[in-house]
PDB file of all heavy atoms in Angstrom:
ATOM      1  N   GLU A 874       1.874  -1.479  -7.561  1.00 98.00           N
ATOM      2  CA  GLU A 874       0.498  -0.984  -7.465  1.00 98.00           C
ATOM      3  C   GLU A 874       0.266  -0.246  -6.147  1.00 98.00           C
ATOM      4  O   GLU A 874      -0.436   0.763  -6.110  1.00 98.00           O
ATOM      5  CB  GLU A 874      -0.483  -2.136  -7.634  1.00 98.00           C
ATOM      6  CG  GLU A 874      -0.488  -2.675  -9.059  1.00 98.00           C
ATOM      7  CD  GLU A 874      -1.352  -3.902  -9.252  1.00 98.00           C
ATOM      8  OE1 GLU A 874      -1.946  -4.399  -8.273  1.00 98.00           O
ATOM      9  OE2 GLU A 874      -1.417  -4.371 -10.400  1.00 98.00           O
ATOM     10  N   CYS A 875       0.875  -0.729  -5.095  1.00 98.00           N
ATOM     11  CA  CYS A 875       0.746  -0.095  -3.788  1.00 98.00           C
ATOM     12  C   CYS A 875       1.402   1.291  -3.795  1.00 98.00           C
ATOM     13  O   CYS A 875       0.831   2.257  -3.300  1.00 98.00           O
ATOM     14  CB  CYS A 875       1.370  -1.002  -2.725  1.00 98.00           C
ATOM     15  SG  CYS A 875       1.029  -0.500  -1.032  1.00 98.00           S
ATOM     16  N   ILE A 876       2.586   1.377  -4.369  1.00 98.00           N
ATOM     17  CA  ILE A 876       3.290   2.663  -4.473  1.00 98.00           C
ATOM     18  C   ILE A 876       2.427   3.670  -5.214  1.00 98.00           C
ATOM     19  O   ILE A 876       2.253   4.807  -4.778  1.00 98.00           O
ATOM     20  CB  ILE A 876       4.650   2.480  -5.171  1.00 98.00           C
ATOM     21  CG1 ILE A 876       5.618   1.716  -4.259  1.00 98.00           C
ATOM     22  CG2 ILE A 876       5.238   3.831  -5.576  1.00 98.00           C
ATOM     23  CD1 ILE A 876       6.857   1.182  -4.981  1.00 98.00           C
ATOM     24  N   SER A 877       1.872   3.242  -6.331  1.00 98.00           N
ATOM     25  CA  SER A 877       1.029   4.129  -7.146  1.00 98.00           C
ATOM     26  C   SER A 877      -0.214   4.576  -6.378  1.00 98.00           C
ATOM     27  O   SER A 877      -0.562   5.765  -6.375  1.00 98.00           O
ATOM     28  CB  SER A 877       0.631   3.402  -8.430  1.00 98.00           C
ATOM     29  OG  SER A 877      -0.215   4.196  -9.213  1.00 98.00           O
ATOM     30  N   ALA A 878      -0.874   3.636  -5.712  1.00 98.00           N
ATOM     31  CA  ALA A 878      -2.092   3.971  -4.949  1.00 98.00           C
ATOM     32  C   ALA A 878      -1.771   4.901  -3.787  1.00 98.00           C
ATOM     33  O   ALA A 878      -2.531   5.843  -3.508  1.00 98.00           O
ATOM     34  CB  ALA A 878      -2.764   2.699  -4.448  1.00 98.00           C
ATOM     35  N   CYS A 879      -0.657   4.664  -3.112  1.00 98.00           N
ATOM     36  CA  CYS A 879      -0.266   5.529  -1.998  1.00 98.00           C
ATOM     37  C   CYS A 879       0.046   6.944  -2.481  1.00 98.00           C
ATOM     38  O   CYS A 879      -0.344   7.922  -1.838  1.00 98.00           O
ATOM     39  CB  CYS A 879       0.941   4.958  -1.260  1.00 98.00           C
ATOM     40  SG  CYS A 879       0.555   3.571  -0.172  1.00 98.00           S
ATOM     41  N   GLN A 880       0.732   7.042  -3.628  1.00 98.00           N
ATOM     42  CA  GLN A 880       1.044   8.370  -4.155  1.00 98.00           C
ATOM     43  C   GLN A 880      -0.242   9.098  -4.559  1.00 98.00           C
ATOM     44  O   GLN A 880      -0.395  10.283  -4.281  1.00 98.00           O
ATOM     45  CB  GLN A 880       2.003   8.281  -5.343  1.00 98.00           C
ATOM     46  CG  GLN A 880       2.504   9.630  -5.798  1.00 98.00           C
ATOM     47  CD  GLN A 880       3.201  10.406  -4.687  1.00 98.00           C
ATOM     48  OE1 GLN A 880       4.197   9.968  -4.143  1.00 98.00           O
ATOM     49  NE2 GLN A 880       2.662  11.559  -4.319  1.00 98.00           N
ATOM     50  N   ASP A 881      -1.151   8.378  -5.193  1.00 97.00           N
ATOM     51  CA  ASP A 881      -2.446   8.974  -5.555  1.00 97.00           C
ATOM     52  C   ASP A 881      -3.183   9.437  -4.301  1.00 97.00           C
ATOM     53  O   ASP A 881      -3.771  10.518  -4.275  1.00 97.00           O
ATOM     54  CB  ASP A 881      -3.323   7.972  -6.317  1.00 97.00           C
ATOM     55  CG  ASP A 881      -2.832   7.699  -7.727  1.00 97.00           C
ATOM     56  OD1 ASP A 881      -1.955   8.446  -8.225  1.00 97.00           O
ATOM     57  OD2 ASP A 881      -3.314   6.722  -8.326  1.00 97.00           O
ATOM     58  N   CYS A 882      -3.159   8.618  -3.265  1.00 97.00           N
ATOM     59  CA  CYS A 882      -3.842   8.952  -2.018  1.00 97.00           C
ATOM     60  C   CYS A 882      -3.251  10.222  -1.413  1.00 97.00           C
ATOM     61  O   CYS A 882      -3.994  11.118  -0.997  1.00 97.00           O
ATOM     62  CB  CYS A 882      -3.740   7.783  -1.042  1.00 97.00           C
ATOM     63  SG  CYS A 882      -4.739   7.978   0.451  1.00 97.00           S
ATOM     64  N   ILE A 883      -1.922  10.316  -1.370  1.00 96.00           N
ATOM     65  CA  ILE A 883      -1.268  11.514  -0.844  1.00 96.00           C
ATOM     66  C   ILE A 883      -1.693  12.748  -1.640  1.00 96.00           C
ATOM     67  O   ILE A 883      -2.028  13.783  -1.060  1.00 96.00           O
ATOM     68  CB  ILE A 883       0.269  11.360  -0.862  1.00 96.00           C
ATOM     69  CG1 ILE A 883       0.713  10.333   0.183  1.00 96.00           C
ATOM     70  CG2 ILE A 883       0.957  12.703  -0.618  1.00 96.00           C
ATOM     71  CD1 ILE A 883       2.174   9.920   0.056  1.00 96.00           C
ATOM     72  N   ASP A 884      -1.688  12.622  -2.958  1.00 96.00           N
ATOM     73  CA  ASP A 884      -2.073  13.750  -3.816  1.00 96.00           C
ATOM     74  C   ASP A 884      -3.505  14.195  -3.530  1.00 96.00           C
ATOM     75  O   ASP A 884      -3.788  15.398  -3.462  1.00 96.00           O
ATOM     76  CB  ASP A 884      -1.928  13.384  -5.290  1.00 96.00           C
ATOM     77  CG  ASP A 884      -0.471  13.183  -5.714  1.00 96.00           C
ATOM     78  OD1 ASP A 884       0.435  13.608  -4.961  1.00 96.00           O
ATOM     79  OD2 ASP A 884      -0.257  12.587  -6.785  1.00 96.00           O
ATOM     80  N   ILE A 885      -4.400  13.233  -3.347  1.00 95.00           N
ATOM     81  CA  ILE A 885      -5.802  13.558  -3.077  1.00 95.00           C
ATOM     82  C   ILE A 885      -5.960  14.142  -1.668  1.00 95.00           C
ATOM     83  O   ILE A 885      -6.715  15.088  -1.460  1.00 95.00           O
ATOM     84  CB  ILE A 885      -6.690  12.315  -3.294  1.00 95.00           C
ATOM     85  CG1 ILE A 885      -6.690  11.941  -4.788  1.00 95.00           C
ATOM     86  CG2 ILE A 885      -8.119  12.574  -2.819  1.00 95.00           C
ATOM     87  CD1 ILE A 885      -7.294  10.583  -5.100  1.00 95.00           C
ATOM     88  N   LEU A 886      -5.216  13.592  -0.703  1.00 94.00           N
ATOM     89  CA  LEU A 886      -5.255  14.128   0.660  1.00 94.00           C
ATOM     90  C   LEU A 886      -4.802  15.586   0.680  1.00 94.00           C
ATOM     91  O   LEU A 886      -5.350  16.403   1.428  1.00 94.00           O
ATOM     92  CB  LEU A 886      -4.356  13.312   1.595  1.00 94.00           C
ATOM     93  CG  LEU A 886      -4.841  11.914   1.969  1.00 94.00           C
ATOM     94  CD1 LEU A 886      -3.737  11.145   2.683  1.00 94.00           C
ATOM     95  CD2 LEU A 886      -6.091  11.972   2.822  1.00 94.00           C
ATOM     96  N   GLU A 887      -3.818  15.917  -0.145  1.00 92.00           N
ATOM     97  CA  GLU A 887      -3.339  17.298  -0.214  1.00 92.00           C
ATOM     98  C   GLU A 887      -4.428  18.243  -0.718  1.00 92.00           C
ATOM     99  O   GLU A 887      -4.380  19.436  -0.462  1.00 92.00           O
ATOM    100  CB  GLU A 887      -2.083  17.386  -1.073  1.00 92.00           C
ATOM    101  CG  GLU A 887      -0.871  16.803  -0.362  1.00 92.00           C
ATOM    102  CD  GLU A 887       0.378  16.742  -1.215  1.00 92.00           C
ATOM    103  OE1 GLU A 887       0.313  17.070  -2.427  1.00 92.00           O
ATOM    104  OE2 GLU A 887       1.426  16.358  -0.674  1.00 92.00           O
ATOM    105  N   GLY A 888      -5.410  17.692  -1.425  1.00 91.00           N
ATOM    106  CA  GLY A 888      -6.556  18.469  -1.880  1.00 91.00           C
ATOM    107  C   GLY A 888      -7.692  18.438  -0.860  1.00 91.00           C
ATOM    108  O   GLY A 888      -8.828  18.766  -1.181  1.00 91.00           O
ATOM    109  N   ASP A 889      -7.387  18.014   0.363  1.00 91.00           N
ATOM    110  CA  ASP A 889      -8.356  17.958   1.460  1.00 91.00           C
ATOM    111  C   ASP A 889      -9.515  17.002   1.205  1.00 91.00           C
ATOM    112  O   ASP A 889     -10.665  17.299   1.499  1.00 91.00           O
ATOM    113  CB  ASP A 889      -8.893  19.353   1.798  1.00 91.00           C
ATOM    114  CG  ASP A 889      -7.842  20.216   2.460  1.00 91.00           C
ATOM    115  OD1 ASP A 889      -6.994  19.656   3.180  1.00 91.00           O
ATOM    116  OD2 ASP A 889      -7.872  21.437   2.267  1.00 91.00           O
ATOM    117  N   SER A 890      -9.184  15.830   0.659  1.00 93.00           N
ATOM    118  CA  SER A 890     -10.208  14.815   0.430  1.00 93.00           C
ATOM    119  C   SER A 890      -9.636  13.443   0.756  1.00 93.00           C
ATOM    120  O   SER A 890      -8.468  13.163   0.484  1.00 93.00           O
ATOM    121  CB  SER A 890     -10.665  14.838  -1.033  1.00 93.00           C
ATOM    122  OG  SER A 890     -11.529  13.743  -1.283  1.00 93.00           O
ATOM    123  N   GLU A 891     -10.472  12.605   1.317  1.00 94.00           N
ATOM    124  CA  GLU A 891     -10.068  11.236   1.607  1.00 94.00           C
ATOM    125  C   GLU A 891     -10.509  10.278   0.505  1.00 94.00           C
ATOM    126  O   GLU A 891     -10.487   9.062   0.674  1.00 94.00           O
ATOM    127  CB  GLU A 891     -10.629  10.786   2.970  1.00 94.00           C
ATOM    128  CG  GLU A 891     -12.116  10.639   3.043  1.00 94.00           C
ATOM    129  CD  GLU A 891     -12.871  11.955   3.210  1.00 94.00           C
ATOM    130  OE1 GLU A 891     -12.244  13.021   3.403  1.00 94.00           O
ATOM    131  OE2 GLU A 891     -14.104  11.922   3.135  1.00 94.00           O
ATOM    132  N   ALA A 892     -10.871  10.811  -0.656  1.00 95.00           N
ATOM    133  CA  ALA A 892     -11.422  10.005  -1.748  1.00 95.00           C
ATOM    134  C   ALA A 892     -10.482   8.898  -2.236  1.00 95.00           C
ATOM    135  O   ALA A 892     -10.946   7.896  -2.782  1.00 95.00           O
ATOM    136  CB  ALA A 892     -11.808  10.912  -2.920  1.00 95.00           C
ATOM    137  N   GLY A 893      -9.193   9.038  -2.044  1.00 96.00           N
ATOM    138  CA  GLY A 893      -8.252   8.015  -2.504  1.00 96.00           C
ATOM    139  C   GLY A 893      -7.960   6.940  -1.479  1.00 96.00           C
ATOM    140  O   GLY A 893      -7.264   5.963  -1.774  1.00 96.00           O
ATOM    141  N   CYS A 894      -8.489   7.095  -0.285  1.00 96.00           N
ATOM    142  CA  CYS A 894      -8.141   6.188   0.817  1.00 96.00           C
ATOM    143  C   CYS A 894      -8.636   4.759   0.612  1.00 96.00           C
ATOM    144  O   CYS A 894      -7.932   3.806   0.942  1.00 96.00           O
ATOM    145  CB  CYS A 894      -8.654   6.741   2.136  1.00 96.00           C
ATOM    146  SG  CYS A 894      -7.765   8.215   2.674  1.00 96.00           S
ATOM    147  N   GLU A 895      -9.819   4.599   0.080  1.00 96.00           N
ATOM    148  CA  GLU A 895     -10.354   3.249  -0.091  1.00 96.00           C
ATOM    149  C   GLU A 895      -9.530   2.448  -1.101  1.00 96.00           C
ATOM    150  O   GLU A 895      -9.177   1.287  -0.857  1.00 96.00           O
ATOM    151  CB  GLU A 895     -11.821   3.310  -0.524  1.00 96.00           C
ATOM    152  CG  GLU A 895     -12.541   2.011  -0.309  1.00 96.00           C
ATOM    153  CD  GLU A 895     -14.053   2.160  -0.426  1.00 96.00           C
ATOM    154  OE1 GLU A 895     -14.593   3.274  -0.328  1.00 96.00           O
ATOM    155  OE2 GLU A 895     -14.685   1.116  -0.625  1.00 96.00           O
ATOM    156  N   ALA A 896      -9.191   3.071  -2.223  1.00 97.00           N
ATOM    157  CA  ALA A 896      -8.369   2.398  -3.242  1.00 97.00           C
ATOM    158  C   ALA A 896      -6.968   2.118  -2.700  1.00 97.00           C
ATOM    159  O   ALA A 896      -6.384   1.059  -2.974  1.00 97.00           O
ATOM    160  CB  ALA A 896      -8.293   3.243  -4.507  1.00 97.00           C
ATOM    161  N   CYS A 897      -6.447   3.046  -1.925  1.00 97.00           N
ATOM    162  CA  CYS A 897      -5.129   2.862  -1.323  1.00 97.00           C
ATOM    163  C   CYS A 897      -5.150   1.679  -0.359  1.00 97.00           C
ATOM    164  O   CYS A 897      -4.258   0.821  -0.393  1.00 97.00           O
ATOM    165  CB  CYS A 897      -4.685   4.138  -0.619  1.00 97.00           C
ATOM    166  SG  CYS A 897      -3.000   4.059   0.027  1.00 97.00           S
ATOM    167  N   ALA A 898      -6.150   1.622   0.484  1.00 98.00           N
ATOM    168  CA  ALA A 898      -6.257   0.516   1.440  1.00 98.00           C
ATOM    169  C   ALA A 898      -6.350  -0.827   0.719  1.00 98.00           C
ATOM    170  O   ALA A 898      -5.714  -1.805   1.129  1.00 98.00           O
ATOM    171  CB  ALA A 898      -7.472   0.718   2.347  1.00 98.00           C
ATOM    172  N   ALA A 899      -7.101  -0.869  -0.376  1.00 98.00           N
ATOM    173  CA  ALA A 899      -7.241  -2.116  -1.137  1.00 98.00           C
ATOM    174  C   ALA A 899      -5.902  -2.539  -1.740  1.00 98.00           C
ATOM    175  O   ALA A 899      -5.527  -3.721  -1.685  1.00 98.00           O
ATOM    176  CB  ALA A 899      -8.294  -1.949  -2.228  1.00 98.00           C
ATOM    177  N   ALA A 900      -5.164  -1.584  -2.307  1.00 98.00           N
ATOM    178  CA  ALA A 900      -3.856  -1.898  -2.893  1.00 98.00           C
ATOM    179  C   ALA A 900      -2.878  -2.343  -1.813  1.00 98.00           C
ATOM    180  O   ALA A 900      -2.100  -3.283  -2.017  1.00 98.00           O
ATOM    181  CB  ALA A 900      -3.318  -0.694  -3.649  1.00 98.00           C
ATOM    182  N   CYS A 901      -2.926  -1.688  -0.669  1.00 98.00           N
ATOM    183  CA  CYS A 901      -2.043  -2.055   0.437  1.00 98.00           C
ATOM    184  C   CYS A 901      -2.388  -3.440   0.978  1.00 98.00           C
ATOM    185  O   CYS A 901      -1.499  -4.227   1.315  1.00 98.00           O
ATOM    186  CB  CYS A 901      -2.091  -1.012   1.546  1.00 98.00           C
ATOM    187  SG  CYS A 901      -1.276   0.543   1.127  1.00 98.00           S
ATOM    188  N   GLN A 902      -3.684  -3.763   1.052  1.00 98.00           N
ATOM    189  CA  GLN A 902      -4.086  -5.089   1.523  1.00 98.00           C
ATOM    190  C   GLN A 902      -3.585  -6.167   0.566  1.00 98.00           C
ATOM    191  O   GLN A 902      -3.138  -7.233   1.008  1.00 98.00           O
ATOM    192  CB  GLN A 902      -5.601  -5.166   1.671  1.00 98.00           C
ATOM    193  CG  GLN A 902      -6.101  -4.425   2.888  1.00 98.00           C
ATOM    194  CD  GLN A 902      -7.620  -4.326   2.961  1.00 98.00           C
ATOM    195  OE1 GLN A 902      -8.302  -4.208   1.958  1.00 98.00           O
ATOM    196  NE2 GLN A 902      -8.135  -4.345   4.178  1.00 98.00           N
ATOM    197  N   ALA A 903      -3.646  -5.890  -0.730  1.00 98.00           N
ATOM    198  CA  ALA A 903      -3.141  -6.845  -1.727  1.00 98.00           C
ATOM    199  C   ALA A 903      -1.629  -7.012  -1.574  1.00 98.00           C
ATOM    200  O   ALA A 903      -1.099  -8.124  -1.711  1.00 98.00           O
ATOM    201  CB  ALA A 903      -3.498  -6.374  -3.133  1.00 98.00           C
ATOM    202  N   CYS A 904      -0.943  -5.928  -1.275  1.00 98.00           N
ATOM    203  CA  CYS A 904       0.504  -5.978  -1.078  1.00 98.00           C
ATOM    204  C   CYS A 904       0.843  -6.787   0.173  1.00 98.00           C
ATOM    205  O   CYS A 904       1.763  -7.610   0.159  1.00 98.00           O
ATOM    206  CB  CYS A 904       1.071  -4.560  -0.994  1.00 98.00           C
ATOM    207  SG  CYS A 904       2.868  -4.474  -1.161  1.00 98.00           S
ATOM    208  N   VAL A 905       0.090  -6.586   1.233  1.00 98.00           N
ATOM    209  CA  VAL A 905       0.289  -7.367   2.465  1.00 98.00           C
ATOM    210  C   VAL A 905       0.130  -8.858   2.150  1.00 98.00           C
ATOM    211  O   VAL A 905       0.975  -9.680   2.541  1.00 98.00           O
ATOM    212  CB  VAL A 905      -0.720  -6.947   3.570  1.00 98.00           C
ATOM    213  CG1 VAL A 905      -0.710  -7.937   4.723  1.00 98.00           C
ATOM    214  CG2 VAL A 905      -0.412  -5.536   4.067  1.00 98.00           C
ATOM    215  N   ALA A 906      -0.924  -9.202   1.447  1.00 98.00           N
ATOM    216  CA  ALA A 906      -1.196 -10.605   1.126  1.00 98.00           C
ATOM    217  C   ALA A 906      -0.048 -11.221   0.330  1.00 98.00           C
ATOM    218  O   ALA A 906       0.355 -12.371   0.581  1.00 98.00           O
ATOM    219  CB  ALA A 906      -2.506 -10.729   0.353  1.00 98.00           C
ATOM    220  N   GLU A 907       0.492 -10.483  -0.616  1.00 97.00           N
ATOM    221  CA  GLU A 907       1.600 -10.968  -1.433  1.00 97.00           C
ATOM    222  C   GLU A 907       2.873 -11.083  -0.608  1.00 97.00           C
ATOM    223  O   GLU A 907       3.563 -12.095  -0.661  1.00 97.00           O
ATOM    224  CB  GLU A 907       1.820  -9.991  -2.574  1.00 97.00           C
ATOM    225  CG  GLU A 907       1.833 -10.446  -3.986  1.00 97.00           C
ATOM    226  CD  GLU A 907       1.563 -11.880  -4.339  1.00 97.00           C
ATOM    227  OE1 GLU A 907       0.422 -12.230  -4.612  1.00 97.00           O
ATOM    228  OE2 GLU A 907       2.513 -12.668  -4.426  1.00 97.00           O
ATOM    229  N   CYS A 908       3.186 -10.036   0.154  1.00 97.00           N
ATOM    230  CA  CYS A 908       4.423 -10.040   0.941  1.00 97.00           C
ATOM    231  C   CYS A 908       4.409 -11.115   2.023  1.00 97.00           C
ATOM    232  O   CYS A 908       5.453 -11.700   2.335  1.00 97.00           O
ATOM    233  CB  CYS A 908       4.664  -8.667   1.560  1.00 97.00           C
ATOM    234  SG  CYS A 908       5.235  -7.432   0.368  1.00 97.00           S
ATOM    235  N   GLU A 909       3.247 -11.395   2.582  1.00 97.00           N
ATOM    236  CA  GLU A 909       3.159 -12.414   3.633  1.00 97.00           C
ATOM    237  C   GLU A 909       3.404 -13.827   3.104  1.00 97.00           C
ATOM    238  O   GLU A 909       3.608 -14.749   3.878  1.00 97.00           O
ATOM    239  CB  GLU A 909       1.823 -12.311   4.362  1.00 97.00           C
ATOM    240  CG  GLU A 909       1.784 -11.113   5.296  1.00 97.00           C
ATOM    241  CD  GLU A 909       0.507 -11.005   6.104  1.00 97.00           C
ATOM    242  OE1 GLU A 909      -0.539 -11.571   5.688  1.00 97.00           O
ATOM    243  OE2 GLU A 909       0.554 -10.327   7.156  1.00 97.00           O
ATOM    244  N   LYS A 910       3.431 -13.977   1.790  1.00 96.00           N
ATOM    245  CA  LYS A 910       3.777 -15.271   1.192  1.00 96.00           C
ATOM    246  C   LYS A 910       5.271 -15.555   1.335  1.00 96.00           C
ATOM    247  O   LYS A 910       5.717 -16.674   1.064  1.00 96.00           O
ATOM    248  CB  LYS A 910       3.392 -15.299  -0.291  1.00 96.00           C
ATOM    249  CG  LYS A 910       1.909 -15.274  -0.549  1.00 96.00           C
ATOM    250  CD  LYS A 910       1.628 -15.243  -2.037  1.00 96.00           C
ATOM    251  CE  LYS A 910       0.143 -15.134  -2.318  1.00 96.00           C
ATOM    252  NZ  LYS A 910      -0.134 -15.034  -3.775  1.00 96.00           N
ATOM    253  N   HIS A 911       6.034 -14.544   1.754  1.00 95.00           N
ATOM    254  CA  HIS A 911       7.489 -14.664   1.846  1.00 95.00           C
ATOM    255  C   HIS A 911       7.964 -14.318   3.261  1.00 95.00           C
ATOM    256  O   HIS A 911       8.678 -13.338   3.468  1.00 95.00           O
ATOM    257  CB  HIS A 911       8.160 -13.737   0.817  1.00 95.00           C
ATOM    258  CG  HIS A 911       7.564 -13.842  -0.539  1.00 95.00           C
ATOM    259  ND1 HIS A 911       7.793 -14.901  -1.372  1.00 95.00           N
ATOM    260  CD2 HIS A 911       6.718 -13.014  -1.203  1.00 95.00           C
ATOM    261  CE1 HIS A 911       7.119 -14.734  -2.499  1.00 95.00           C
ATOM    262  NE2 HIS A 911       6.450 -13.597  -2.415  1.00 95.00           N
ATOM    263  N   PRO A 912       7.580 -15.128   4.262  1.00 96.00           N
ATOM    264  CA  PRO A 912       7.900 -14.801   5.660  1.00 96.00           C
ATOM    265  C   PRO A 912       9.394 -14.863   5.992  1.00 96.00           C
ATOM    266  O   PRO A 912       9.810 -14.345   7.030  1.00 96.00           O
ATOM    267  CB  PRO A 912       7.112 -15.848   6.458  1.00 96.00           C
ATOM    268  CG  PRO A 912       6.951 -16.995   5.517  1.00 96.00           C
ATOM    269  CD  PRO A 912       6.827 -16.373   4.149  1.00 96.00           C
ATOM    270  N   ASP A 913      10.185 -15.466   5.125  1.00 95.00           N
ATOM    271  CA  ASP A 913      11.627 -15.557   5.377  1.00 95.00           C
ATOM    272  C   ASP A 913      12.399 -14.412   4.735  1.00 95.00           C
ATOM    273  O   ASP A 913      13.618 -14.328   4.899  1.00 95.00           O
ATOM    274  CB  ASP A 913      12.176 -16.899   4.871  1.00 95.00           C
ATOM    275  CG  ASP A 913      11.581 -18.082   5.621  1.00 95.00           C
ATOM    276  OD1 ASP A 913      11.259 -17.918   6.815  1.00 95.00           O
ATOM    277  OD2 ASP A 913      11.435 -19.154   5.008  1.00 95.00           O
ATOM    278  N   ASP A 914      11.695 -13.556   4.010  1.00 95.00           N
ATOM    279  CA  ASP A 914      12.348 -12.421   3.353  1.00 95.00           C
ATOM    280  C   ASP A 914      12.109 -11.170   4.190  1.00 95.00           C
ATOM    281  O   ASP A 914      10.973 -10.709   4.322  1.00 95.00           O
ATOM    282  CB  ASP A 914      11.786 -12.246   1.933  1.00 95.00           C
ATOM    283  CG  ASP A 914      12.564 -11.241   1.131  1.00 95.00           C
ATOM    284  OD1 ASP A 914      12.555 -10.046   1.519  1.00 95.00           O
ATOM    285  OD2 ASP A 914      13.177 -11.633   0.127  1.00 95.00           O
ATOM    286  N   GLU A 915      13.172 -10.641   4.770  1.00 96.00           N
ATOM    287  CA  GLU A 915      13.064  -9.498   5.685  1.00 96.00           C
ATOM    288  C   GLU A 915      12.400  -8.290   5.029  1.00 96.00           C
ATOM    289  O   GLU A 915      11.592  -7.594   5.652  1.00 96.00           O
ATOM    290  CB  GLU A 915      14.442  -9.121   6.233  1.00 96.00           C
ATOM    291  CG  GLU A 915      14.392  -8.059   7.299  1.00 96.00           C
ATOM    292  CD  GLU A 915      13.581  -8.424   8.533  1.00 96.00           C
ATOM    293  OE1 GLU A 915      13.556  -9.608   8.924  1.00 96.00           O
ATOM    294  OE2 GLU A 915      12.957  -7.518   9.119  1.00 96.00           O
ATOM    295  N   ALA A 916      12.717  -8.024   3.767  1.00 97.00           N
ATOM    296  CA  ALA A 916      12.120  -6.880   3.073  1.00 97.00           C
ATOM    297  C   ALA A 916      10.611  -7.060   2.946  1.00 97.00           C
ATOM    298  O   ALA A 916       9.847  -6.110   3.136  1.00 97.00           O
ATOM    299  CB  ALA A 916      12.757  -6.686   1.698  1.00 97.00           C
ATOM    300  N   CYS A 917      10.178  -8.265   2.647  1.00 97.00           N
ATOM    301  CA  CYS A 917       8.746  -8.544   2.522  1.00 97.00           C
ATOM    302  C   CYS A 917       8.033  -8.418   3.867  1.00 97.00           C
ATOM    303  O   CYS A 917       6.919  -7.889   3.937  1.00 97.00           O
ATOM    304  CB  CYS A 917       8.516  -9.931   1.933  1.00 97.00           C
ATOM    305  SG  CYS A 917       8.940 -10.078   0.179  1.00 97.00           S
ATOM    306  N   VAL A 918       8.680  -8.885   4.922  1.00 98.00           N
ATOM    307  CA  VAL A 918       8.089  -8.800   6.259  1.00 98.00           C
ATOM    308  C   VAL A 918       7.901  -7.335   6.656  1.00 98.00           C
ATOM    309  O   VAL A 918       6.826  -6.937   7.128  1.00 98.00           O
ATOM    310  CB  VAL A 918       8.961  -9.557   7.295  1.00 98.00           C
ATOM    311  CG1 VAL A 918       8.504  -9.278   8.715  1.00 98.00           C
ATOM    312  CG2 VAL A 918       8.946 -11.056   7.009  1.00 98.00           C
ATOM    313  N   ARG A 919       8.941  -6.521   6.467  1.00 98.00           N
ATOM    314  CA  ARG A 919       8.843  -5.091   6.806  1.00 98.00           C
ATOM    315  C   ARG A 919       7.802  -4.394   5.947  1.00 98.00           C
ATOM    316  O   ARG A 919       7.048  -3.544   6.428  1.00 98.00           O
ATOM    317  CB  ARG A 919      10.206  -4.403   6.638  1.00 98.00           C
ATOM    318  CG  ARG A 919      11.178  -4.685   7.750  1.00 98.00           C
ATOM    319  CD  ARG A 919      12.387  -3.762   7.701  1.00 98.00           C
ATOM    320  NE  ARG A 919      12.910  -3.496   6.381  1.00 98.00           N
ATOM    321  CZ  ARG A 919      13.861  -4.192   5.772  1.00 98.00           C
ATOM    322  NH1 ARG A 919      14.400  -5.228   6.371  1.00 98.00           N
ATOM    323  NH2 ARG A 919      14.263  -3.858   4.566  1.00 98.00           N
ATOM    324  N   CYS A 920       7.761  -4.753   4.667  1.00 98.00           N
ATOM    325  CA  CYS A 920       6.790  -4.146   3.756  1.00 98.00           C
ATOM    326  C   CYS A 920       5.364  -4.469   4.215  1.00 98.00           C
ATOM    327  O   CYS A 920       4.515  -3.577   4.273  1.00 98.00           O
ATOM    328  CB  CYS A 920       7.030  -4.645   2.338  1.00 98.00           C
ATOM    329  SG  CYS A 920       6.055  -3.797   1.071  1.00 98.00           S
TER     330      CYS A 920
END
């Protein structure tokens, strides 16, 4: 979901609009919350 939201955000930014930023931030926050459940997994920590 984060990958999809980030790609959408980039596409919208290329059209000179920040309209995708709020949805992107929400998806990224959800990804942070999920990845932080796995503090011993290096990939999750970096993500």
Side-chain angles (χ1 to χ4, degrees):
E874 291 175 358
C875 190
I876 290 165
S877 178
C879 284
Q880 188 57 61
D881 288 347
C882 188
I883 290 169
D884 292 344
I885 293 168
L886 288 170
E887 287 174 355
D889 289 328
S890 173
E891 67 281 353
C894 290
E895 198 166 341
C897 185
C901 288
Q902 285 172 325
C904 194
V905 168
E907 234 3 93
C908 285
E909 286 183 337
K910 292 178 183 177
H911 313 285
D913 296 329
D914 189 295
E915 187 60 34
C917 289
V918 170
R919 283 192 320 269
C920 188

